[in-house]
């Protein structure tokens, strides 16, 4: 468990957390980026850029 | 042989996670390289790249992918996909030119640089036709143009509001497909798996919520996948085909292909197959290095 940086709600995290992964806050819907795993730290994920894609 | 694999990324999506898990399960050493935190020196590789056998480019941003692949090649570190492949696939104009040159059936396309000439191209195709951004993905900013007044409005908006790339007007015939298109994941032209993406919307992209199902490729499709892959320089690619009657047209080849939708749709272990291919690429690169030395 850690806290959503947007709304402060608790965010549950799975075991195989990976730095760079995006987690959705189930309370406010914010996209959160995992910036550290030990201990887990979340930050707001970057906004979509125009040249993103596959 | 265990490898030291660099994974260049900006976001770890399910696709990257599948690859990381597979690589680690095979005891390969993995260095994650966050492209946002990295600087690239023109004269020497950063210490973080020491000992890398191969780098997998999984950048989300096309611009970063294009530069980073050039740096890895300059440092003598094998990178997949190659800069050549990324360069061709990142730009729809180059993509279409490469397919056409290789004799791969692809939708009729015209490029214009002003609103006036774009309008002429649209009128030549007639309605509906399609206007696409030259760089972009996930079906964003694609416009199906149904009338002259819609064409005028879209061209005006693009010319006024857009980045300079939006002043390159990529106009394409509207292909009447049967409510679905085909995505083939292939390594150097060898298909790993294929799926159909179905939607009531004219854009049948998985990122737009299209439904997916497994698809068996026939001989013609297999040949086209090989030819399309060769046309862009090979690599791990997502080749998009549309069915037209009994035949196909290839509308696009993607170079930083997402495969999570495909992984859900088919039984093939996609990450394992991709890593098999990566191991082969790394071995071939090492052999080449020995011969050169």
């Amino acid at each position: 468990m850690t806290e959503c940086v947007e709304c402060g709600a608790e965010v549950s995290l799975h075991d195989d957390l990976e730095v760079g992964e995006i987690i959705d806050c189930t309370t406010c819907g914010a996209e959160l980026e995992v910036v550290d795993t030990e201990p887990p730290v979340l930050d707001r994920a970057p906004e979509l850029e125009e040249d993103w894609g596959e | 042989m265990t490898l030291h694999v660099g994974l260049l990324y900006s976001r770890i999506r399910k696709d990257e996670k599948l690859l990381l898990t597979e690589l680690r399960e095979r005891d390969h050493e993995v260095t994650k390289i966050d492209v946002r935190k990295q600087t690239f020196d023109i004269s020497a590789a950063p210490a973080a790249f020491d000992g890398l056998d191969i780098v997998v480019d999984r950048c989300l941003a096309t611009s970063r992918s294009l530069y980073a692949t050039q740096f890895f090649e300059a440092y003598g570190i094998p990178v997949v996909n190659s800069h050549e492949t990324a360069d061709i696939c990142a730009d729809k104009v180059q993509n279409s030119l490469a397919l056409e040159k290789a004799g791969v059936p692809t939708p009729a396309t015209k490029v214009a640089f002003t609103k006036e000439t774009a309008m002429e191209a649209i009128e030549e195709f007639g309605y509906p036709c399609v206007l696409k951004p030259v760089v972009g993905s996930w079906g964003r900013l694609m416009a199906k143009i149904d009338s002259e007044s819609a064409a005028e409005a879209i061209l005006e908006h693009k010319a006024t509001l857009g980045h300079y790339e939006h002043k390159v007007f990529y106009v394409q015939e509207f292909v009447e497909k049967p409510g679905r298109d085909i995505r083939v994941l292939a390594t150097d032209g060898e298909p790993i798996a294929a799926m159909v993406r179905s939607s009531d919307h004219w854009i049948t992209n998985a990122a737009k919520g299209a439904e997916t199902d497994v698809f068996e490729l026939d001989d013609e499709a297999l040949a086209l996948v090989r030819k399309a892959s060769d046309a862009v320089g090979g690599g791990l690619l997502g080749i998009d085909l549309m069915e037209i009657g009994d035949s196909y047209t290839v509308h696009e080849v993607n170079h930083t292909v997402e495969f999570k939708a495909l992984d859900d749709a088919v039984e093939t272990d996609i990450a394992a197959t991709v890593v098999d291919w990566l191991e082969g690429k790394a071995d071939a690169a090492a052999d080449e290095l020995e011969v050169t030395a």
Side-chain angles (χ1 to χ4, degrees):
Chain A
M1 282 286 191
T2 189
E3 211 171 76
C4 172
V5 290
E6 191 73 34
C7 72
E10 286 205 335
V11 180
S12 57
L13 303 167
H14 47 88
D15 293 337
D16 61 341
L17 210 58
E18 195 78 51
V19 169
E21 201 176 336
I22 305 297
I23 307 281
D24 291 328
C25 172
T26 51
T27 306
C28 71
E31 285 198 325
L32 305 167
E33 180 179 354
V34 179
V35 293
D36 206 344
T37 54
E38 291 179 0
V41 179
L42 303 176
D43 200 356
R44 286 176 191 84
E47 295 284 322
L48 175 76
E49 304 243 14
E50 196 180 323
D51 71 338
W52 282 17
E54 60 176 346
Chain B
M1 167 181 164
T2 57
L3 298 172
H4 185 181
V5 180
L7 185 101
L8 187 71
Y9 76 100
S10 43
R11 265 193 184 193
I12 299 293
R13 297 164 285 182
K14 189 182 168 192
D15 315 77
E16 285 74 39
K17 215 159 170 179
L18 289 166
L19 285 178
L20 286 169
T21 304
E22 185 66 29
L23 286 164
R24 287 171 182 152
E25 277 177 3
R26 296 191 191 192
D27 292 328
H28 294 311
E29 185 184 348
V30 181
T31 297
K32 284 165 63 186
I33 305 163
D34 185 342
V35 72
R36 298 166 299 175
K37 294 180 179 161
Q38 192 63 55
T39 53
F40 295 86
D41 191 308
I42 58 164
S43 57
F49 300 167
D50 283 354
L52 288 175
D53 294 306
I54 195 162
V55 169
V56 186
D57 168 28
R58 298 293 305 171
C59 282
L60 263 176
T62 303
S63 50
R64 292 168 181 170
S65 172
L66 290 176
Y67 286 115
T69 49
Q70 287 191 79
F71 275 102
F72 284 111
E73 287 179 2
Y75 300 149
I77 301 170
V79 58
V80 290
N81 288 325
S82 70
H83 174 71
E84 180 202 359
T85 295
D87 195 41
I88 295 172
C89 293
D91 183 302
K92 285 198 171 57
V93 179
Q94 288 201 60
N95 213 317
S96 295
L97 278 169
L99 292 172
E100 180 73 22
K101 189 179 172 191
V104 177
T106 193
T109 303
K110 293 178 193 291
V111 172
F113 302 116
T114 65
K115 284 188 294 177
E116 293 73 23
T117 49
M119 199 64 210
E120 284 173 25
I122 290 167
E123 292 284 337
E124 280 173 36
F125 278 120
Y127 301 100
C129 64
V130 176
L131 193 64
K132 296 179 178 178
V134 286
V135 173
S137 199
W138 298 334
R140 285 167 300 161
L141 297 176
M142 303 223 305
K144 180 182 168 202
I145 304 174
D146 289 314
S147 68
E148 186 181 352
S149 56
E152 287 168 351
I154 293 164
L155 294 176
E156 179 78 23
H157 276 81
K158 278 176 76 80
T160 308
L161 300 175
H163 181 263
Y164 73 88
E165 279 170 347
H166 290 291
K167 295 173 180 64
V168 179
F169 299 98
Y170 177 97
V171 188
Q172 198 163 63
E173 68 170 314
F174 179 74
V175 176
E176 288 285 356
K177 58 186 176 186
R180 65 184 201 174
D181 76 348
I182 302 157
R183 158 60 61 89
V184 185
L185 182 73
T187 48
D188 289 330
E190 285 302 316
I192 297 175
M195 65 177 178
V196 282
R197 307 180 293 189
S198 308
S199 173
D200 292 335
H201 197 276
W202 72 278
I203 299 174
T204 47
N205 195 308
K208 289 270 188 190
E211 286 182 19
T212 57
D213 201 2
V214 64
F215 183 79
E216 289 295 326
L217 297 168
D218 59 21
D219 288 346
E220 186 186 350
L222 287 169
L224 283 180
V225 166
R226 269 184 219 110
K227 219 168 166 182
S229 173
D230 289 348
V232 302
L236 172 63
L237 299 168
I239 296 152
D240 294 343
L241 296 84
M242 290 186 282
E243 295 153 289
I244 40 168
D246 295 335
S247 194
Y248 303 95
T249 185
V250 179
H251 53 286
E252 194 171 37
V253 183
N254 299 279
H255 74 291
T256 47
V257 57
E258 293 174 330
F259 50 81
K260 54 182 173 285
L262 191 59
D263 196 63
D264 292 338
V266 302
E267 286 187 7
T268 312
D269 186 339
I270 293 191
T273 316
V274 171
V275 171
D276 286 345
W277 173 76
L278 273 178
E279 290 172 344
K281 292 298 267 191
D283 282 348
D287 289 347
E288 201 174 306
L289 208 64
E290 267 178 35
V291 170
T292 314

